[in-house]
Amino acid sequence: QGTLTLLTNERGGIVDDLIVTNTSEDHLYVVSNAGCTDKDLAIMRGRAAELQAAGSDVHLEVSDNALLALQGPSMARVLQAGLPDDLAKLSFMNSITTTVFSVPGCRVTRCGYTGEDGVEISVPAGRAVELAERLLGVPEVWPAGLAARDSLRLEAGLCLYGNDIDETTTPAEAGLLWTLGKRRRAAMDFPGAAIIMAQVKEKPKRKRVGAAGLARAWPQAAVTAGEGAGAAGPHSPPCVLTSPGTVTSGCPSPSLGKNIAMGYVEAVHSRAGTALTVEVRKKQHPALITKMPFVPTQYYMAK
């Protein structure tokens, strides 16, 4: 079984977000962001060396596997045709090592970055193109670029590292405290624990929020928040501007037919329904803080 977790620094900031799976083969399988590989490995290698010096039996291996993501409502039917295992028994955030369309040694994890039912397939690099072409040979399967992935993950309210979270953002500010287990909270045995746990107790001064509105575009921009909440609709004039903020992600939502965004505002103005003014290319646009996910997720839970 796997989970989302965070690498933090001594300031409580997020070095990277990771998927860590406790495998049945007596090791942890870690998937990091590709852009964070070097700094993540430096941290892990340093910690492994410390543990080894203390007498622990631990070592780090780096896989050269490729990662293919197959996502969407038809995923299970498409993949089941090339899988000896029963996908109906594989729940969200669980994985198996198996053969996929005659390619052995693949790890299939029921997760993804779209909010849809899907899998990520870790496949030996030398056979990744073969497997990709086999999947693309199915009529329902289409290649998807980063723009499609980005709109889907934003609709699902999922953070993008480097945009919505980074080394200056804490888990409390980002709404990711659920990644921090009860035992770790009590032990406070992770980098930045004092800062993060103080924010748990006292509440952070800013929070990650979703927003929906009428702006024609949602680049990174200044955001101002008003005092009012609930009554103002997306066509209503914004309330008195009181609090600066930042848009960190935004795009037109293909599923909703309107523009959506994610960003940070002062915590006092973070309630759903609060009116915002978003500045895009020096023009002011009204918006409302909106609960996330914008589109309900379709993660699969086996019965």
Side-chain angles (χ1 to χ4, degrees):
Q1 186 172 20
T3 187
L4 178 73
T5 191
L6 306 172
L7 278 179
T8 54
N9 59 32
E10 295 296 342
R11 300 180 303 279
I14 300 171
V15 177
D16 197 7
D17 57 326
L18 313 169
I19 299 292
V20 179
T21 299
N22 188 8
T23 72
S24 57
E25 296 91 14
D26 199 28
H27 66 268
L28 299 178
Y29 167 65
V30 180
V31 178
S32 69
N33 283 291
C36 297
T37 299
D38 291 342
K39 65 178 181 178
D40 289 358
L41 278 175
I43 291 170
M44 293 181 189
R45 283 173 173 151
R47 185 60 176 145
E50 292 174 7
L51 291 168
Q52 289 166 356
S56 295
D57 180 14
V58 58
H59 66 280
L60 182 67
E61 295 179 5
V62 180
S63 169
D64 64 354
N65 278 16
L67 201 63
L68 301 177
L70 184 65
Q71 304 281 299
S74 299
M75 180 281 297
R77 181 167 51 80
V78 169
L79 190 62
Q80 188 63 77
L83 207 66
D85 306 85
D86 185 1
L87 267 179
K89 298 179 180 179
L90 189 67
S91 282
F92 178 61
M93 295 306 295
N94 283 262
S95 71
I96 51 174
T97 301
T98 186
T99 296
V100 181
F101 286 107
S102 302
V103 179
C106 296
R107 178 171 290 278
V108 177
T109 305
R110 200 151 196 167
C111 69
Y113 203 48
T114 62
E116 295 291 329
D117 184 21
V119 294
E120 290 187 343
I121 307 170
S122 177
V123 53
R127 303 193 69 176
V129 172
E130 173 191 340
L131 181 55
E133 290 177 342
R134 176 66 179 82
L135 291 169
L136 289 170
V138 179
E140 297 102 314
V141 179
W142 288 72
L146 289 177
R149 189 283 307 264
D150 201 46
S151 65
L152 285 163
R153 70 92 189 167
L154 185 52
E155 289 178 345
L158 302 175
C159 295
L160 177 63
Y161 190 84
N163 283 46
D164 310 302
I165 52 176
D166 57 29
E167 294 193 35
T168 69
T169 311
T170 70
E173 293 170 336
L176 296 173
L177 283 174
W178 60 269
T179 64
L180 186 54
K182 184 177 179 180
R183 181 186 67 79
R184 302 306 296 277
R185 295 185 189 214
M188 294 184 64
D189 58 352
F190 55 92
I195 293 172
I196 294 169
M197 293 311 298
Q199 289 186 346
V200 172
K201 183 178 180 181
E202 300 166 7
K203 307 301 180 186
K205 293 181 179 179
R206 63 172 188 152
K207 285 186 175 181
R208 178 173 63 94
V209 297
L214 302 175
R216 295 178 63 188
W218 288 92
Q220 291 189 9
V223 179
T224 50
E227 295 283 6
H235 296 277
S236 304
C239 301
V240 177
L241 305 180
T242 60
S243 173
T246 305
V247 172
T248 54
S249 291
C251 69
S253 165
S255 301
L256 300 176
K258 61 182 179 182
N259 294 315
I260 58 175
M262 186 186 296
Y264 288 83
V265 298
E266 290 185 358
V268 68
H269 301 299
S270 62
R271 181 178 298 178
T274 299
L276 303 174
T277 294
V278 180
E279 183 178 303
V280 181
R281 299 186 183 92
K282 298 183 178 181
K283 292 185 178 181
Q284 305 276 315
H285 301 271
L288 284 179
I289 291 181
T290 307
K291 290 183 178 180
M292 295 186 286
F294 298 99
V295 176
T297 55
Q298 302 295 327
Y299 304 132
Y300 175 80
M301 300 297 176
K303 296 180 180 178

